[in-house]
Every structure is written in C-alpha cells, then in structure tokens.
Amino acid sequence: MSPSATNTDVSTKAPPLRNQSEEANYGLISLWPATKDIIGGDMPCRLEGEIADLVVFGKIPTEINGTFYRMMCDPYLPPHPNNVPIDSDGSVQAFRIHDRRADMKMRYVETERLKLERQANKAMFGLYRNPFTHHPCVRGAVDSTANTNLVFWANKLLALKEGALHYAVHPDTLETLGYDPFAAQNIKAKTFKAHPKANPYTDELVVFGYQANGLATDDIVVYSLDRDGDKREEQWIKSLWSAMIHDSAITKNFLILVLWPFEANIERMKKGKHHWAWSGKLQATFIVVPRRRNGPLPPGWSPGEYRIYKWKKCLAVHSAGAWEEEDGTVCIETSRVFENVFPFFPADEASDLAPIALAERDTRANFVRWTLDLTQPTGTTIQDPRVIIALPQKFPRIDERILTSAYDICWINVFLPEGSDGGKNVFYGLNGIAMHSHKTSETKYFYAGDNCVVQEPVFVPRSKESAEGDGWVLAVIERRGLNRNDLVIIDTTKFEVPVAIVQLPFHVKAQIHGNWVISDERSDLISLDRTLKVDAKISGMGALEPIV
C-alpha cells in the first residue's frame, strides 16, 4: 500500500522557462539550410494539391472569369548550402476565378533537374548556372528550375527561366508536358527569356535569349512567335559584355534590351564560384534592336544595325512599357535601384562594392522614364531619366492591351515607410501597390496592412472593350504575422480598398512573376479542381428512417 501523500511530497516549484531567445526548434539541426527568400517568407512550402471554392470575404465581381498563374521559387529538397534563393524549384500556383468563386491548384514543374534530384533524394546540382559545381553524373542535364514566369502562348502554358529553354505545363492539370515545345522551329539557341512580350496589335510574342550560344557567351538571339507558335524574324546580335538581361520592352518597331551591371565569367565558374558577379565598372545599358529586317529605320541607321546607349551606374530592374514619340525618340519606363539588390552575387573585387554616393541618387529606388534619342550614335550617354514615383518600388505592370503604345495608367509594388522599415533589402518592404496616372500625375495607394508584403500585381480588364485601366488589380499578400497568404481583388475605380479577399489557409512561397489568362482565350478549358459527378441518390438509411 502506498503511503499517503503529504504537502511536502507535492512540488510547488514551477519548471524553469526556456529563454525566449533560444531557437524554436530546441537547438535541433535540420538537413534544410536557411532557404532565404528575396521577397517573402523564408520557410519552404513544398505543397502540391488543390482547394475548391476558397473562403471569400466580400464579393468577387461576376465579370472576372479566368486564371491567375503565379510562379513561385520553392525548393523541393534541401538545396546546396551555398546556392542562391533564385535557383529553387519552380512551383506553379493557379487561381481559377469563375462564377464569383475561386479554386486553387499547386504543382511543381517536373524539370529534368527535379526528377533527377527526387530520384537521388538529394541535391545533385550546385550553384546557379554553374555546371562545374554540379555532381559529375548530372552535368549533361538541363539545370533549369523553370521558376521565374508563366506565359500562355500558342495554346501552351510556358514555364520560363532565362538560363535555358522553356517547359510546357498543362494549363488546367498543371502537369509538365515537356521541354522546348517549339523545338520544331529549329532555333539554334540554348536560352529563352523570362519576360517575352506579347504585341496585341500584331498578335506575336517577341522573344530573346542571352548567352544564346552557351555559358557566358555574349550572343543574343531575337525572334518572334506567331499565334500558332511559328517563328518569325530571327536575328543574332552581340551584347557589350556577358550581361544579365532579365527584362526588355517593345515598341511598334523596336526591342529595347536592358542590361544589368552583372558579368558572367567562365573562369570564375571553374573555380567553384558564382555565375554572376556585381561590377562597379559597368553602367546601365540599353540595346535598341529593330524588330524587323525590312522595317522602318531612324535617320542614319543602316540595315542590320542596332545601337547601344548608356547611363550612369544603376540597375534598371523591370520595365512597365515603352513607346515611340512623334519626334522619333523612344521612351521606356522602368524601376531603378542604385545598389546590388542581389547580394548573393557579390563583386569580384573589393573596389566594386562601394555604392553610389548619396549625392548622386534621390532615394534607394524609384520609378523612372528614360528617353532614348535614336539619332545619336551608338555609345552615347543618355540624359538623366525623369522620376515618376519617388518611392522604393518594383514589379511595374500596365494594361497590356495597349503594349507598345503610350499609356496612362501603371501599377507598381511600393514601399510605404509608415508601415515598415524595409529591412536591409528594399524588396522586403514592398507593402503596398501604387496606381499612377501620367495624365493627371495623381498616384493612389493600396496599403496591405502592418507586417504584410505585397507581391507582383496583374491587371484584369472589366471587359474587352473597357477603357485603359478600367477593371481590377489582383495581387497576393503575405500576412507574416498569421503565416498565410491572401489574394486581394481591387477595383481600379476605388483603389484604396479591395472589393474581395480570397483567403488561403496556409503560407505559400513568394511569387517571382505571374500573369492573368482570361477563360475566353481557352477553347478546351476543364475544371481546375476534381469536380464531383452529379449522381448522388437518397439511400433511405437516414436517422429518421425506420430500421428494416
């Protein structure tokens, strides 16, 4: 028989509390290194699945009928510990909006690289675009993670990454269909840009690829694809150096390539270092290429000629659009930053690390208009750009029904300092969306909320015939404090407050880029979710029925 308990047998002393500064995982080590993200939360998601009829606050307008495709950068397996955030596996998220409801599906792009790593159950590929750091047995494989953008063209959903060609993904099931779906066009290039531009007036997709002849080469291929995916107007030109050319812009007659001040060097790669290095010696550079061999040329130009224009040191990151003025000049609007916003690609030399003097810049980043006088010779330094929005920002978008023409409205992610300090990298503070009118110079702002980050917006026209900018803006918001995401729908006529919020019950990775595809463009549309067959019958075995 156990002795009876006494007061002295009962402990009244509480156990010591863990120090709040200690790791949440109690000091346990994971095979996963810190998977840092440029824009959003650092934790991987690694989810494949679907949800039908997501929770909606407010009312989704009945006119919205299509799919918002987002490309996320999400490692499926623990990555190489020295690799960079922009080289994680491509994960596609699709929001299908119809009948005032929203369905969602997520699936990885099953690249050659992902399949090889899943088969080995470990990382087989080393540093971004550096095959010398890959395991020897996979060096012959395409190392693209297809994680940058999604574009629907020629009835194909293309998963894009600029270091290789593209993958085709089924637009409803999100199943990966194969690599290089336009191989029959016999384009002898190894790369396809992440930002092809669809010309709405000529119904063609304008494409380029840099390092087109192989690793660290200075060759650029330029061509277009018609609605059937047939190639037109292939041209080959040279870059000023082996530059990172992430984005471009098109006008009626020209393609403008935007070179970033990073340089590829194959000898550096052979030493096990990164593909890219930031350079303090390189300037913001624009290459202007006539889109057609037999098209109109500016005064003084010869057939086959292209020209190069420079400014000071900066990074013209993403373009909103471009157009030709009546006086023959070309205008292009871009986001602009003055520092290396990709610190994981450091400079080769210590002298390249110095930022631009504060006197030479008006803020860490802004949105500007560049004017290129095409009558000036190649190598000309262009005039200072006009500042449109003097706030740190990124990811400008316009009503792409008028791409190549002068436009009034643009939308852009911005950093509103009242709600965030922005951290060490300007992208971490993008907590709002600006809607700017060139005609009125008025800027309206949507603020996502405290401790929130807004990702790249897309525009949905109210109808095919609606005026420029009349419709809705869609964007995904990361609710950091709640560890989940929302999709917001904002009417452009009442921009400060959303008309609907589509709620996700979990956190997903940050979008790199994405696009809207209206359902009218699809002739073979099928449901995004697994719909139940309508064959339910009454069993007669309910609680109120008699037992037989």
Side-chain angles (χ1 to χ4, degrees):
M1 181 175 179
S2 300
S4 59
T6 67
N7 289 339
T8 58
D9 295 320
V10 179
S11 174
T12 57
K13 184 178 180 181
L17 297 176
R18 289 180 60 84
N19 191 313
Q20 292 299 310
S21 65
E22 291 182 16
E23 293 184 10
N25 297 314
Y26 297 90
L28 300 176
I29 304 300
S30 171
L31 291 175
W32 287 83
T35 54
K36 293 293 184 182
D37 200 307
I38 299 178
I39 301 167
D42 294 333
M43 288 298 296
C45 177
R46 304 175 64 235
L47 174 69
E48 291 189 306
E50 60 190 47
I51 304 176
D53 205 4
L54 288 160
V55 173
V56 176
F57 292 86
K59 291 184 178 180
I60 298 176
T62 55
E63 299 93 334
I64 300 180
N65 185 21
T67 308
F68 179 18
Y69 292 104
R70 304 174 61 246
M71 179 59 84
M72 302 174 293
C73 195
D74 192 3
Y76 188 89
L77 290 163
H80 186 289
N82 296 323
N83 205 6
V84 298
I86 60 173
D87 203 30
S88 296
D89 298 297
S91 177
V92 181
Q93 183 177 41
F95 287 97
R96 174 71 50 78
I97 300 178
H98 61 101
D99 304 317
R100 286 194 162 179
R101 58 181 283 184
D103 305 325
M104 187 279 298
K105 183 189 288 287
M106 292 171 58
R107 190 164 181 176
Y108 275 95
V109 184
E110 293 183 351
T111 61
E112 181 178 359
R113 170 174 172 159
L114 178 59
K115 289 191 286 187
L116 286 167
E117 292 193 326
R118 290 188 66 176
Q119 181 175 281
N121 200 31
K122 64 179 181 179
M124 300 292 288
F125 295 80
L127 302 182
Y128 173 65
R129 295 180 72 174
N130 185 350
F132 302 104
T133 63
H134 302 342
H135 192 285
C137 72
V138 299
R139 286 184 181 174
V142 175
D143 65 0
S144 169
T145 53
N147 69 3
T148 308
N149 203 0
L150 291 154
V151 171
F152 187 74
W153 192 259
N155 208 35
K156 295 176 175 64
L157 183 62
L158 307 176
L160 307 175
K161 189 173 182 68
E162 60 204 49
L165 300 175
H166 41 295
Y167 284 85
V169 175
H170 193 286
D172 300 313
T173 68
L174 305 187
E175 175 188 3
T176 302
L177 303 177
Y179 184 66
D180 190 16
F182 299 119
Q185 300 306 306
N186 198 31
I187 303 164
K188 300 299 184 182
K190 285 183 171 291
T191 58
F192 187 105
K193 68 177 290 188
H195 286 287
K197 305 295 181 182
N199 187 329
Y201 302 107
T202 59
D203 209 20
E204 59 185 330
L205 189 71
V206 182
V207 176
F208 76 88
Y210 69 90
Q211 295 189 23
N213 261 332
L215 203 64
T217 61
D218 59 0
D219 302 289
I220 302 172
V221 63
V222 177
Y223 58 95
S224 61
L225 298 168
D226 66 18
R227 265 295 169 189
D228 296 322
D230 294 328
K231 178 189 69 176
R232 299 177 182 173
E233 299 282 351
E234 181 179 342
Q235 304 178 61
W236 286 80
I237 66 172
K238 290 286 188 178
S239 178
L240 204 57
W241 69 92
S242 186
M244 188 186 297
I245 314 175
H246 177 67
D247 203 0
S248 65
I250 58 171
T251 69
K252 180 180 179 182
N253 296 299
F254 299 100
L255 166 67
I256 304 103
L257 305 176
V258 183
L259 280 61
W260 291 3
F262 294 89
E263 186 170 18
N265 182 290
I266 202 158
E267 294 304 318
R268 179 175 60 244
M269 290 183 241
K270 288 179 179 179
K271 295 176 182 177
K273 297 182 179 180
H274 284 296
H275 183 106
W276 297 112
W278 170 262
S279 174
K281 302 177 179 66
L282 298 172
Q283 299 170 294
T285 302
F286 304 87
I287 302 179
V288 181
V289 187
R291 285 178 49 196
R292 294 176 176 80
R293 294 188 187 90
N294 299 320
L297 295 174
W301 284 52
S302 302
E305 182 179 4
Y306 55 92
R307 293 191 179 182
I308 298 170
Y309 299 97
K310 303 178 182 180
W311 192 67
K312 304 171 187 176
K313 180 180 174 64
C314 78
L315 197 64
V317 187
H318 286 104
S319 69
W323 65 92
E324 299 166 31
E325 296 281 17
E326 292 182 359
D327 62 3
T329 58
V330 166
C331 294
I332 173 175
E333 293 185 342
T334 74
S335 51
R336 177 181 65 164
V337 296
F338 293 94
E339 301 167 84
N340 181 3
V341 293
F342 300 132
F344 39 78
F345 294 136
D348 277 335
E349 302 176 19
S351 60
D352 284 348
L353 293 174
I356 288 179
L358 288 173
E360 297 181 34
R361 58 183 181 177
D362 30 63
T363 185
R364 290 179 63 188
N366 49 30
F367 182 64
V368 299
R369 178 183 302 170
W370 309 88
T371 300
L372 311 179
D373 183 353
L374 303 190
T375 64
Q376 296 299 307
T378 193
T380 297
T381 297
I382 62 176
Q383 65 189 33
D384 291 349
R386 172 188 167 192
V387 176
I388 306 296
I389 299 177
L391 283 173
Q393 44 57 55
K394 203 174 184 292
F395 304 123
R397 301 300 294 259
I398 66 169
D399 184 340
E400 293 176 358
R401 295 175 300 168
I402 59 170
L403 198 68
T404 74
S405 301
Y407 49 87
D408 177 29
I409 304 294
C410 76
W411 301 272
I412 188 167
N413 290 145
V414 292
F415 162 56
L416 301 173
E418 294 81 4
S420 172
D421 64 5
K424 294 181 179 179
N425 187 314
V426 65
F427 299 157
Y428 278 91
L430 297 177
N431 55 11
I433 306 174
M435 175 177 170
H436 181 79
S437 167
H438 289 315
K439 291 180 180 178
T440 65
S441 297
E442 181 184 15
T443 305
K444 299 178 180 179
Y445 296 98
F446 164 77
Y447 176 58
D450 296 345
N451 201 24
C452 293
V453 176
V454 188
Q455 297 167 21
E456 181 187 45
V458 294
F459 172 69
V460 179
R462 202 173 303 274
S463 69
K464 290 182 178 180
E465 297 76 26
S466 61
E468 179 201 345
D470 180 26
W472 300 272
V473 168
L474 276 59
V476 167
I477 294 175
E478 181 179 345
R479 308 284 188 195
R480 287 180 170 177
L482 301 174
N483 195 34
R484 63 169 180 78
N485 295 71
D486 290 336
L487 172 67
V488 295
I489 301 173
I490 310 167
D491 194 314
T492 58
T493 62
K494 299 177 181 178
F495 193 70
E496 291 83 358
V497 179
V499 296
I501 298 173
V502 180
Q503 190 177 85
L504 279 175
F506 47 77
H507 161 264
V508 296
K509 291 294 282 183
Q511 166 186 334
I512 297 188
H513 295 292
N515 285 288
W516 173 259
V517 177
I518 61 173
S519 293
D520 289 350
E521 292 185 9
R522 301 278 315 285
S523 59
D524 54 350
L525 187 76
I526 63 175
S527 176
L528 202 66
D529 70 287
R530 297 168 293 173
T531 53
L532 295 174
K533 295 180 179 180
V534 186
D535 58 357
K537 299 178 181 178
I538 302 298
S539 67
M541 299 172 65
L544 297 178
E545 298 300 311
I547 298 176
V548 178

